[in-house]
């Protein structure tokens, strides 16, 4: 889920970065929420992220990003940036390549040290967006 505040700046973008049909739906969601709950709280209206198969581990995210149906700026950026677009294309068309890369990355993360004691450098945040 994401709030209108997180993506409404994209709603005026051209079809170069956002699928026109998706843009229309997003504009309606945010506009209708403004009518229902007032301008002040409209930014809190939520929209489900673009993954059609949110309960299945698959490569649909990459297919959606490639089709300009990414909700957030980062989704559009991954598919359009010359450094990451080839990876998005590969993962969109080759599910097994995505699974292999994910497995490798996940295993690396599980081997990383986790900060859990006061003596460790850094901190485990109680709320991600704020320093304790």
């Amino acid at each position: 889920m994401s709030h209108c505040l997180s993506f409404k700046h994209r709603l005026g973008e051209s079809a170069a970065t956002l699928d026109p049909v998706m843009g229309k739906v997003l504009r309606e969601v945010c506009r209708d929420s403004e009518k229902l709950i007032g301008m002040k709280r409209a930014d809190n209206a939520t929209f489900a992220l673009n993954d059609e198969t949110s309960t299945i581990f698959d490569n649909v995210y990459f297919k959606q990003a490639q089709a300009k149906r990414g909700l957030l700026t980062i989704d559009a950026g991954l598919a359009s940036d010359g450094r990451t677009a080839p990876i998005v294309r590969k993962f969109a068309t080759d599910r097994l390549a995505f699974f292999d890369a994910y497995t490798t990355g996940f295993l690396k993360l599980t081997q990383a040290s986790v900060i859990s004691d006061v003596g460790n450098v850094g901190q485990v945040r109680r709320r991600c967006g704020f320093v304790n």
Side-chain angles (χ1 to χ4, degrees):
M1 301 295 281
S2 186
H3 299 280
C4 287
L5 180 62
S6 300
F7 59 81
K8 73 178 186 178
H9 66 280
R10 296 195 64 219
L11 300 183
E13 292 183 18
S14 69
T17 60
L18 183 63
D19 175 75
V21 174
M22 183 172 179
K24 181 180 178 190
V25 169
L26 294 175
R27 279 190 292 279
E28 289 173 4
V29 166
C30 292
R31 186 191 68 230
D32 289 349
S33 67
E34 289 172 3
K35 290 178 184 175
L36 292 173
I37 59 179
M39 285 292 279
K40 214 173 192 182
R41 297 189 55 212
D43 290 340
N44 286 330
T46 56
F47 188 84
L49 293 174
N50 53 305
D51 192 345
E52 303 165 345
T53 58
S54 60
T55 60
I56 300 169
F57 184 70
D58 58 20
N59 62 337
V60 169
Y61 168 83
F62 299 100
K63 293 177 183 183
Q64 294 287 5
Q66 194 174 31
K68 300 177 187 171
R69 292 191 202 108
L71 181 62
L72 305 175
T73 303
I74 187 69
D75 303 325
L78 284 173
S80 62
D81 188 290
R83 296 167 293 179
T84 54
I87 299 166
V88 171
R89 279 193 299 276
K90 177 70 171 170
F91 290 168
T93 58
D94 187 345
R95 186 180 66 153
L96 293 179
F98 167 61
F99 288 175
D100 289 343
Y102 182 89
T103 300
T104 300
F106 185 82
L107 290 174
K108 286 181 182 179
L109 283 173
T110 62
Q111 296 168 359
S113 298
V114 176
I115 300 169
S116 58
D117 298 323
V118 176
N120 288 336
V121 177
Q123 62 179 250
V124 175
R125 294 185 180 190
R126 289 180 194 87
R127 292 183 62 197
C128 294
F130 301 95
V131 175
N132 295 336

